[in-house]
Amino acid sequence: MKDAKNKENFEKDFEENLENKKNKESSEESKKSKENLENLQNSEISEEDVEKLKKEIRERISDDEEVEEEEEEKFSPEEMAQEIQQIETEKELEEYLDDNHSIDVAESFEKLKDDELIRIFELMSDENKAGILEQADEELQTRIIDLLSDEEAIDILGYMSPDDVADILGFIDIQKSKSILNKMKRSQANKIRELLGYEEDTAGGIMTTQYIAFKGNLEVKDVMKKLKDIAPRTEVIETIFVTSKKKELIGEVDLRDILISSDDTKLVDIMDDNPKYVYVEQDQEEVARLVSRYDLKVVPVTNHKKIILGIITIDDIIDVIQEENTEDILKLGGVSEEEEIYSSFWFSVKQRLPWLVINLGTAFLASFVIKLFSGTVEKVVILSSIMTIISGMGGNAGTQALSVTIRALALGEVDFKDTIGIIAKTFLVGAINGALLGLLCGAIIWAFCGNFYMGLIVFLAMVGNLVIACMIGFLIPITLKAMKIDPAMASAVVLTTATDCFGFLIFLSLATVFLNKLV
């Protein structure tokens, strides 16, 4: 009995302990869940704060960028020149040069007087002087070289690439140039003289002699050792040229391929054996087209034995493209590429007057054509006002064809084998545009004059003149190119003469034929 009662008490105590334990665990879990919830809520609040902080940072960065842009915009060369004039110490000047690009500083130097320019130059290191001189325009370069002694000039030029030095010595006073070359180290002077011997607008004239070339049997480990010594003295290290035992160009290797190759790999095993190159006497326009077509960053220049003489870098090609485009635009306008906006009065007169005289001659020729039909014009006076429309539209259509053709020639896109097909296409373009414009203009003239035949004459003359204008706009530059004459030089004058003369001739001839219907 006692045992049964003990057993019953034991079971009761066990159940109470078990229930208490469950309640305790439940309480702890509840408490833990509550803490987690509070942490989660705190986490959500923290994320909101972070988002707000991010937004504030973005706004501050945006404001700073706007301030920087405003500051960059407000500094003109004149203002920079005034700031530079306030600089008194080498340290101040060095900090200023670090904060501003050398090309902007070079532009500001143009505003300085000679004495101030000398004072600032004395505070600069030769390397910084070279950076400014390299970015300066020709006029400032000449000023600086003239202000320096030969020895000072040589020290500065020593920090520049040979092609840039050759460019500077090529247009300064010839006596000054000879004096500097004679005082240079013989090896340096010989490189410069070699570059000066090439025509200015050829591959040789724009190349630099600083490049890296190794023989094909050289291993990567030896290449890396040599690169460490050569790299500081060359302009381009991303492309290494590979030569044969006879020093002939046989390939090129990217620096990246060298870095990822094993030490015992030979250059001949990883090189591109079909490198693009140009001959030293090739025109710079041809070089620019080659670089553009194959997306080259550097192109080697060789003689006809394929021995490397130098390289042309992309920055020189950009200068060539800009120079050639400017030259063509100026020639189309009958202006010499030597003239600038700040050229002297007398120089501009001398450069422009010859082309104006030629245009005057063509104007007399057009006037002579009109005189041949003076009897017709006297009987129908309104013809004098209408015929200018015909010649004007012909000039516009011809200029369109001329511009497209000259651009295609400049880019090397014209294949003379396709000339017949292009002529047919040009004829159709002129005929269709002439017909549409002729219908429009003829209808207006018919409504204005009340004479159907006047509108018909305008229609036929418009078609004829636009066909001729488009054909001339294409054929003239093609013909001049075949004769090795610059198409941009004379095309515009010939086109103007042709469209005026043929426009008047066609229109007035038709008016003479239909004279009885017009009076």
Side-chain angles (χ1 to χ4, degrees):
M1 188 75 179
K2 186 177 180 181
D3 291 337
K5 188 175 181 180
N6 289 336
K7 184 178 180 182
E8 183 179 352
N9 292 333
F10 176 79
E11 290 176 351
K12 186 178 180 181
D13 292 337
F14 178 80
E15 289 176 358
E16 288 177 357
N17 289 333
L18 182 63
E19 185 68 20
N20 291 334
K21 187 176 180 182
K22 288 181 178 179
N23 292 335
K24 185 178 180 182
E25 287 177 354
S26 176
S27 177
E28 288 177 355
E29 287 178 0
S30 177
K31 184 178 180 181
K32 190 173 182 181
S33 298
K34 187 176 181 180
E35 289 177 354
N36 289 338
L37 180 61
E38 290 176 354
N39 290 335
L40 180 61
Q41 289 175 343
N42 290 334
S43 175
E44 289 176 353
I45 294 172
S46 178
E47 287 178 1
E48 290 177 1
D49 290 340
V50 169
E51 290 300 322
K52 290 180 180 179
L53 183 59
K54 286 181 178 179
K55 185 178 180 181
E56 184 179 349
I57 291 172
R58 290 193 196 101
E59 291 175 352
R60 288 181 180 179
I61 292 174
S62 178
D63 292 340
D64 290 341
E65 288 177 349
E66 289 178 2
V67 170
E68 288 178 2
E69 289 178 359
E70 290 175 0
E71 289 179 352
E72 289 177 359
E73 290 177 359
K74 72 179 182 181
F75 284 113
S76 64
E78 291 81 3
E79 290 171 330
M80 288 184 69
Q82 291 176 0
E83 289 186 349
I84 291 173
Q85 288 175 344
Q86 306 302 318
I87 295 175
E88 299 292 342
T89 65
E90 294 181 14
K91 185 178 180 181
E92 289 178 344
L93 183 58
E94 186 175 351
E95 291 176 353
Y96 189 85
L97 294 176
D98 289 339
D99 294 337
N100 294 276
H101 197 281
S102 55
I103 192 169
D104 296 323
V105 178
E107 288 182 357
S108 68
F109 274 26
E110 296 174 14
K111 311 301 178 182
L112 299 177
K113 295 181 180 179
D114 288 351
D115 57 345
E116 194 64 28
L117 191 58
I118 294 173
R119 185 185 73 81
I120 295 299
F121 246 58
E122 289 176 349
L123 299 176
M124 297 170 63
S125 65
D126 288 340
E127 187 174 359
N128 284 333
K129 292 175 186 176
I132 299 298
L133 189 62
E134 187 175 348
Q135 297 294 342
D137 64 10
E138 294 181 3
E139 184 178 349
L140 180 59
Q141 287 175 337
T142 303
R143 278 182 62 199
I144 292 173
I145 295 296
D146 288 342
L147 291 171
L148 299 174
S149 65
D150 293 347
E151 290 74 15
E152 289 174 324
I154 291 171
D155 291 339
I156 296 171
L157 296 175
Y159 287 91
M160 299 173 63
S161 60
D163 59 322
D164 291 326
V165 176
D167 289 340
I168 293 174
L169 297 183
F171 59 75
I172 65 172
D173 179 72
I174 189 168
Q175 296 302 325
K176 182 78 171 180
S177 177
K178 286 182 178 179
S179 177
I180 291 174
L181 284 171
N182 290 335
K183 294 177 183 179
M184 275 184 177
K185 292 180 181 179
R186 181 175 298 179
S187 59
Q188 185 183 10
N190 288 340
K191 288 181 180 180
I192 305 303
R193 287 192 177 97
E194 181 183 356
L195 293 173
L196 287 171
Y198 298 115
E199 293 292 333
E200 184 180 356
D201 57 353
T202 63
I206 60 174
M207 74 178 184
T208 179
T209 55
Q210 291 180 327
Y211 62 93
I212 301 177
F214 296 126
K215 289 184 172 59
N217 60 358
L218 202 64
E219 294 182 346
V220 166
K221 60 183 177 183
D222 298 319
V223 171
M224 293 304 298
K225 292 178 182 177
K226 291 178 178 291
L227 278 177
K228 290 180 181 179
D229 296 330
I230 299 174
R233 303 193 302 272
T234 189
E235 192 166 342
V236 175
I237 65 169
E238 294 85 358
T239 303
I240 288 84
F241 299 100
V242 185
T243 60
S244 65
K245 293 181 180 180
K246 296 181 180 179
K247 298 183 178 180
E248 298 171 335
L249 175 67
I250 60 173
E252 63 182 29
V253 183
D254 286 337
L255 180 60
R256 178 179 56 185
D257 294 331
I258 293 176
L259 294 174
I260 64 176
S261 299
S262 58
D263 289 346
D264 57 351
T265 303
K266 293 184 178 180
L267 288 181
V268 71
D269 296 328
I270 58 175
M271 73 177 185
D272 175 6
D273 58 3
N274 185 31
K276 303 301 177 186
Y277 61 92
V278 295
Y279 292 121
V280 69
E281 71 276 4
Q282 275 187 252
D283 189 270
Q284 61 182 13
E285 282 190 82
E286 296 178 17
V287 179
R289 283 198 292 266
L290 180 75
V291 171
S292 175
R293 180 173 182 177
Y294 294 102
D295 294 329
L296 303 176
K297 295 180 180 178
V298 59
V299 57
V301 182
T302 72
N303 60 18
H304 286 275
K305 294 182 180 180
K306 287 192 70 175
I307 296 175
I308 301 181
L309 302 176
I311 61 171
I312 300 173
T313 54
I314 187 64
D315 58 319
D316 293 319
I317 294 301
I318 292 173
D319 291 338
V320 168
I321 293 172
Q322 182 179 6
E323 177 186 332
E324 293 294 338
N325 287 343
T326 302
E327 180 181 336
D328 289 344
I329 291 171
L330 291 174
K331 285 181 177 179
L332 280 171
V335 181
S336 170
E337 67 271 19
E338 298 176 4
E339 184 182 351
E340 298 178 353
I341 191 68
Y342 294 109
S343 297
S344 67
F345 162 77
W346 183 237
F347 181 82
S348 296
V349 170
K350 289 191 296 183
Q351 293 297 320
R352 300 184 192 185
L353 187 59
W355 288 106
L356 293 175
V357 171
I358 294 173
N359 286 332
L360 179 62
T362 62
F364 274 112
L365 185 59
S367 178
F368 175 75
V369 172
I370 296 173
K371 187 177 184 305
L372 294 176
F373 298 92
S374 58
T376 302
V377 176
E378 287 176 358
K379 293 178 181 179
V380 187
V381 178
I382 196 173
L383 293 175
S384 61
S385 59
I386 298 175
M387 64 185 181
T388 57
I389 300 175
I390 307 299
S391 63
M393 293 305 300
N396 292 334
T399 300
Q400 290 177 333
L402 182 68
S403 301
V404 171
T405 305
I406 290 179
R407 179 183 180 276
L409 289 172
L411 296 177
E413 296 175 347
V414 177
D415 188 345
F416 288 95
K417 296 178 183 178
D418 301 330
T419 302
I420 300 300
I422 299 175
I423 289 175
K425 174 242 183 180
T426 303
F427 181 90
L428 287 174
V429 169
I432 293 173
N433 284 340
L436 294 174
L437 291 171
L439 283 172
L440 177 61
C441 188
I444 294 173
I445 296 298
W446 180 12
F448 181 76
C449 298
N451 190 312
F452 168 78
Y453 290 98
M454 182 66 78
L456 178 63
I457 292 171
V458 169
F459 169 77
L460 295 174
M462 188 73 78
V463 173
N465 198 29
L466 259 67
V467 168
I468 291 174
C470 289
M471 296 293 289
I472 290 175
F474 171 71
L475 290 174
I476 289 299
I478 291 291
T479 304
L480 293 174
K481 185 71 174 180
M483 297 171 61
K484 300 188 182 303
I485 300 174
D486 190 344
M489 180 65 74
S491 296
V493 175
V494 176
L495 176 67
T496 302
T497 304
T499 53
D500 284 350
C501 292
F502 281 108
F504 295 149
L505 182 63
I506 294 171
F507 180 69
L508 294 176
S509 296
L510 289 170
T512 302
V513 171
F514 290 96
L515 184 59
N516 293 333
K517 304 291 184 180
L518 301 177
V519 177

